[in-house]
Amino acid sequence: MISLVELRGVAAFSDLPDDQIEWFLRQIQEVSVQPGEAFVHKDDPADWMFIFLEGLFQWSGEFGGDIVTLPAQAGEVSGVLPFSRMKRFTVTGRALTDGRLGKFPVARFSELIHKMPELTTRLVAMMSERIREGTRIEQMRDRSASLGKLSAGLAHELNNPASAVKRAADQMRDMLAKMRGANSELWRLSVNDSDKARIEEAEASLLESKAVLLDGLALGDLEERLNSILRSHGHPDPWELSASLAKCNMASDTLVSLLTNLDSRTARPAPARIAASAELSILLGAVENSSDRISNLVRTVKEYTYMDQAPVQDIDVARSLETTLGTLAHILRPGIEVKRNCEPVPLLVSAVGSELSQVWTNLIENAIDAMPGQGELRLQIFREDNYAVIEIGDSGSGIPAEIKPYIFDPFFTTKDVGEGTGLGLTTVQTIVRKLGGNIQVTSKPGDTVFQVRLALVT
């Protein structure tokens, strides 16, 4: 039987009046457990608060697709605590050694609150600390998950320009070989100065041309015309050369003038040199564009994570939101239209940049998830008194009225098992409140808006 002295060994009860402890002892059930024995199972009704008296214990269960275990030992209070809204246990409790514990029925909490107000205060503080610690850990997990998604998206986004650079490099090697061949043939012919000038002029006109490169039917038509011109001037099987010249958008009359005015021997290798030179220029442009894309992606990620920057700084909320949107480009489906309405003057808030990015990431991802394949993602930023107001809206089906009061609760999620931790909006609310701001949501079918209000830097 549990004694008054033994219960005082538990810190929460150590200095409580005897009559209160004696009342408490009359309400609890004593339970002895053996190693490996469960004293509560996942999905059992949340009917008990536990006071661990002897031995070592462990809580375990699945969370976010992972198996999580938490140790417990004699002297701790666990299970359901006053004012908890838990309906069923989400984890299983087992003994690791021989042990004893007391079970206090949740049905007697109203009496406990009345008869033992000091203990109630301590248990509520214990629950709050537990929630804070759990939220802190899960915020880190949520941030890691966000970074994992960002990494996957970045790898996808980087793959296209990196592949383009690789293809361009391979083609440039072929073009250099063709240029060397054409140059060797021209050098053997001892080309006169007038022909050299004509070749250089035609080459320069292509390299300096700002004409839009052709594709599709227009490219095929030009290739046919250039092929006919080359064939009429004695070029055998000129398809490859005409394709190269057409790709560089060489005008038909330019080719006719060149071939007509050049020495007949020079007229064979000259177009090949010009085509190779012009294609090299095009490929260099492709490498530059792809390199710029890679640099922009890296810069976007550095801005998103605020790498190499002070932890707390004055942040332009519009730029922060736009940077986050850039990192999520890989999940923006073609059918989703982004509409922006932002104040032209920068609105600065004091914050940890990476945390602010996490707020936008969670809200934008939720908005995208709410629109399966198509819809409007609406971003609006404006000033209201001394606050920056940021609204992120979507045209999805809306949040059902029956779950709206719970969307910011820890571990609440409507996603399938393993797809969500239920901490995204909890994290958002925690960060926003830490910044001295607030977040509100309005929702109806076709129009859900999360509004974040943050104090402006004065």
Side-chain angles (χ1 to χ4, degrees):
M1 182 175 178
I2 305 172
S3 68
L4 184 148
V5 173
E6 186 175 20
L7 192 56
R8 284 194 183 281
V10 177
F13 296 85
S14 61
D15 58 352
L16 295 178
D18 289 352
D19 61 330
Q20 293 185 17
I21 294 181
E22 288 170 354
W23 176 85
F24 189 86
L25 287 171
R26 290 195 296 271
Q27 317 307 317
I28 64 176
Q29 300 178 22
E30 182 180 358
V31 178
S32 296
V33 287
Q34 298 177 344
E37 183 180 353
F39 56 88
V40 68
H41 291 89
K42 179 181 180 293
D43 293 327
D44 282 352
D47 291 340
W48 302 99
M49 176 172 70
F50 301 105
I51 300 89
F52 298 123
L53 301 170
E54 294 180 10
L56 297 174
F57 306 85
Q58 184 182 75
W59 296 99
S60 63
E62 184 176 336
F63 180 74
D66 297 327
I67 299 299
V68 178
T69 60
L70 298 172
Q73 60 186 353
E76 295 182 5
V77 180
S78 191
V80 187
L81 299 177
F83 304 108
S84 170
R85 289 190 286 185
M86 181 166 56
K87 301 300 182 185
R88 292 189 175 274
F89 283 101
T90 58
V91 292
T92 296
R94 295 186 183 278
L96 298 179
T97 64
D98 289 324
R100 289 170 56 246
L101 54 96
K103 297 168 57 177
F104 183 91
V106 169
R108 309 304 291 269
F109 270 172
S110 58
E111 294 177 72
L112 174 74
I113 294 167
H114 176 70
K115 292 180 178 294
M116 305 182 73
E118 181 60 29
L119 176 63
T120 301
T121 300
R122 293 173 184 177
L123 294 177
V124 170
M126 194 181 300
M127 181 174 66
S128 299
E129 180 59 32
R130 189 179 300 170
I131 291 173
R132 279 195 296 270
E133 180 62 17
T135 302
R136 185 189 66 80
I137 293 171
E138 292 310 322
Q139 281 177 6
M140 294 176 63
R141 287 166 58 92
D142 189 60
R143 185 175 297 178
S144 297
S146 295
L147 288 174
K149 292 178 184 178
L150 174 61
S151 298
L154 180 63
H156 175 77
E157 291 294 313
L158 285 173
N159 182 63
N160 290 334
S163 297
V165 169
K166 177 65 168 59
R167 287 194 302 271
D170 291 341
Q171 293 170 11
M172 287 171 72
R173 188 174 288 107
D174 293 339
M175 289 302 107
L176 282 172
K178 290 178 180 179
M179 179 177 280
R180 284 198 303 270
N183 283 339
S184 295
E185 191 170 347
L186 287 170
W187 292 335
R188 287 196 300 270
L189 294 173
S190 300
V191 180
N192 60 53
D193 290 342
S194 61
D195 282 353
K196 284 182 181 180
R198 291 188 182 94
I199 294 171
E200 289 173 355
E201 182 181 357
E203 188 175 292
S205 67
L206 283 187
L207 294 178
E208 295 170 2
S209 173
K210 302 298 181 182
V212 177
L213 299 181
L214 304 176
D215 56 15
L217 292 175
L219 181 63
D221 289 344
L222 178 59
E223 189 175 326
E224 287 274 4
R225 293 197 300 273
L226 296 178
N227 177 70
S228 177
I229 294 167
L230 289 169
R231 193 178 295 279
S232 69
H233 282 77
H235 279 262
D237 194 23
W239 275 109
E240 183 177 356
L241 181 55
S242 64
S244 294
L245 291 172
K247 193 183 299 180
C248 303
N249 202 10
M250 187 175 205
S252 302
D253 55 355
T254 301
L255 180 60
V256 170
S257 174
L258 180 70
L259 297 177
T260 301
N261 291 295
L262 286 177
D263 176 88
S264 59
R265 294 177 305 159
T266 306
R268 177 182 176 85
R273 175 202 156 88
I274 293 170
S277 178
E279 279 210 70
L280 275 173
S281 179
I282 293 173
L283 291 170
L284 278 172
V287 170
E288 288 175 346
N289 290 336
S290 297
S291 299
D292 286 344
R293 175 62 180 152
I294 291 171
S295 296
N296 289 336
L297 284 169
V298 172
R299 185 176 64 253
T300 297
V301 171
K302 289 185 70 173
E303 289 180 358
Y304 176 83
T305 58
Y306 289 81
M307 188 184 301
D308 304 327
Q309 297 186 38
V312 178
Q313 56 186 294
D314 295 345
I315 296 171
D316 179 349
V317 290
R319 182 174 178 181
S320 173
L321 189 62
E322 199 63 39
T323 295
T324 300
L325 192 64
T327 65
L328 299 176
H330 60 286
I331 63 172
L332 270 176
R333 303 173 184 89
I336 295 179
E337 181 183 2
V338 180
K339 291 191 172 181
R340 301 167 175 84
N341 182 15
C342 299
E343 190 116 347
V345 177
L347 300 179
L348 304 180
V349 300
S350 180
V352 176
S354 58
E355 291 184 348
L356 207 55
S357 296
Q358 195 174 2
V359 169
W360 312 142
T361 297
N362 282 322
L363 294 179
I364 292 174
E365 283 185 341
N366 284 349
I368 293 173
D369 288 343
M371 299 179 288
Q374 61 181 7
E376 284 184 1
L377 174 63
R378 297 183 289 270
L379 310 177
Q380 180 164 308
I381 300 173
F382 58 92
R383 177 174 186 150
E384 192 171 89
D385 298 327
N386 292 323
Y387 288 87
V389 181
I390 303 93
E391 293 184 346
I392 298 175
D394 66 73
S395 60
S397 57
I399 302 171
E402 61 271 19
I403 71 170
K404 185 180 172 185
Y406 308 108
I407 60 174
F408 292 106
D409 287 357
F411 313 118
F412 180 84
T413 180
T414 59
K415 295 180 180 179
D416 294 336
V417 174
E419 291 187 5
T421 64
L423 283 165
L425 289 177
T426 303
T427 299
V428 167
Q429 187 180 63
T430 300
I431 293 172
V432 170
R433 286 179 174 175
K434 178 177 148 185
L435 296 175
N438 64 71
I439 180 170
Q440 298 177 339
V441 59
T442 59
S443 183
K444 62 182 180 181
D447 186 20
T448 296
V449 178
F450 282 85
Q451 184 186 84
V452 177
R453 187 181 299 266
L454 299 172
L456 288 167
V457 174
T458 55

